[in-house]
Amino acid sequence: GENVEQHPSTLSVQEGDSAVIKCTYSDSASNYFPWYKQELGKGPQLIIDIRSNVGEKKDQRIAVTLNKTAKHFSLHITETQPEDSAVYFCAASKELTGGGNKLTFGTGTQLKVEL
Amino acid sequence: DAGVTQSPTHLIKTRGQHVTLRCSPISGHKSVSWYQQVLGQGPQFIFQYYEKEERGRGNFPDRFSARQFPNYSSELNVNALLLGDSALYLCASSSLVGSSYGYTFGSGTRLTVV
């Protein structure tokens, strides 16, 4: 089955610095790669996503890159702020034989932005 | 508009009991998916329902079952609870069935089995 590895597990940066989180996936049939931010006591919130036919996508301070050949995708956060502190999950989506779809998540990165 | 609504928010059950968790999707969303998130890990796929039919099932034992109602709300049932079933159970809704694009997660139900 699909396996998604995520690194690092914890990341501490100074306010204003950049943060990079990396993921690799195993199933070449995966075609959609969202990133989620999860705060304590809440469900995952989509922050950015990328489809398999796109190499890079940017939304203000957040960008995602995808290398389909290497099965790598990364999240880049620039000008980090204290409110960026949370757990971030990458995920890979594939269609199922029953016509549905499933997300396979990475193990998460605890990002701490220090003042 | 209301987001994905899950109830209850917290629940404590004893080993061997059964539990029913409920989810109301965003208005207009016909697909509901269930995920289990054990503390310190990423969510794991349990089921997906679309138009009241099961469209996907994850690697969970038969103690786990679900259904979707005509109003697209859904229930997740777990029988013969084990300590290892303690987790945050997340529901996600979307308007699509063949893609995870547009998934919106609820805040989850925290289940503790003692």
Side-chain angles (χ1 to χ4, degrees):
Chain A
E2 172 74 282
N3 183 47
V4 177
E5 294 188 0
Q6 182 172 348
H7 299 281
S9 56
T10 61
L11 180 58
S12 185
V13 299
Q14 294 292 111
E15 183 181 9
D17 286 351
S18 296
V20 180
I21 302 171
K22 298 183 178 183
C23 289
T24 60
Y25 62 100
S26 61
D27 193 336
S28 56
S30 294
N31 57 12
Y32 171 67
F33 306 91
W35 286 86
Y36 292 91
K37 176 182 181 182
Q38 188 172 27
E39 297 174 316
L40 206 59
K42 297 185 178 180
Q45 179 187 8
L46 178 70
I47 55 171
I48 196 166
D49 56 12
I50 191 166
R51 296 181 186 266
S52 59
N53 59 348
V54 176
E56 185 173 356
K57 182 177 178 180
K58 188 175 182 181
D59 183 4
Q60 298 184 332
R61 297 186 297 111
I62 297 174
V64 58
T65 58
L66 171 66
N67 182 330
K68 272 187 64 176
T69 303
K71 299 196 184 93
H72 290 172
F73 57 116
S74 300
L75 177 71
H76 304 252
I77 305 174
T78 59
E79 301 172 23
T80 53
Q81 301 166 4
E83 50 266 38
D84 294 330
S85 296
V87 179
Y88 290 81
F89 290 97
C90 63
S93 174
K94 63 175 285 187
E95 293 182 22
L96 302 173
T97 53
N101 68 86
K102 62 175 270 191
L103 285 171
T104 300
F105 284 82
T107 48
T109 296
Q110 175 74 61
L111 173 64
K112 183 177 181 182
V113 180
E114 298 176 332
L115 296 172
Chain B
D1 284 342
V4 177
T5 305
Q6 292 189 244
S7 63
T9 55
H10 295 84
L11 200 53
I12 299 175
K13 289 286 190 178
T14 304
R15 277 178 298 176
Q17 287 188 316
H18 73 273
V19 67
T20 297
L21 311 180
R22 295 178 174 84
C23 172
S24 292
I26 289 173
S27 178
H29 284 188
K30 298 181 179 179
S31 172
V32 170
S33 298
W34 288 94
Y35 287 77
Q36 180 197 63
Q37 186 176 21
V38 173
L39 197 62
Q41 297 182 19
Q44 286 205 306
F45 174 72
I46 310 176
F47 287 110
Q48 184 190 32
Y49 276 78
Y50 181 78
E51 291 277 17
K52 296 171 286 180
E53 291 187 5
E54 182 184 301
R55 295 301 188 99
R57 173 185 286 251
N59 190 22
F60 280 80
D62 292 343
R63 298 184 297 107
F64 289 76
S65 64
R67 57 179 176 168
Q68 187 177 33
F69 299 98
N71 66 352
Y72 304 113
S73 66
S74 178
E75 283 183 353
L76 176 70
N77 295 284
V78 186
N79 293 325
L81 284 167
L82 303 174
L83 295 178
D85 295 331
S86 295
L88 180 67
Y89 288 85
L90 296 162
C91 172
S93 77
S94 73
S95 57
L96 303 174
V97 62
S99 169
S100 304
Y101 183 76
Y103 258 30
T104 300
F105 282 90
S107 293
T109 294
R110 172 71 63 188
L111 172 65
T112 302
V113 182
V114 298

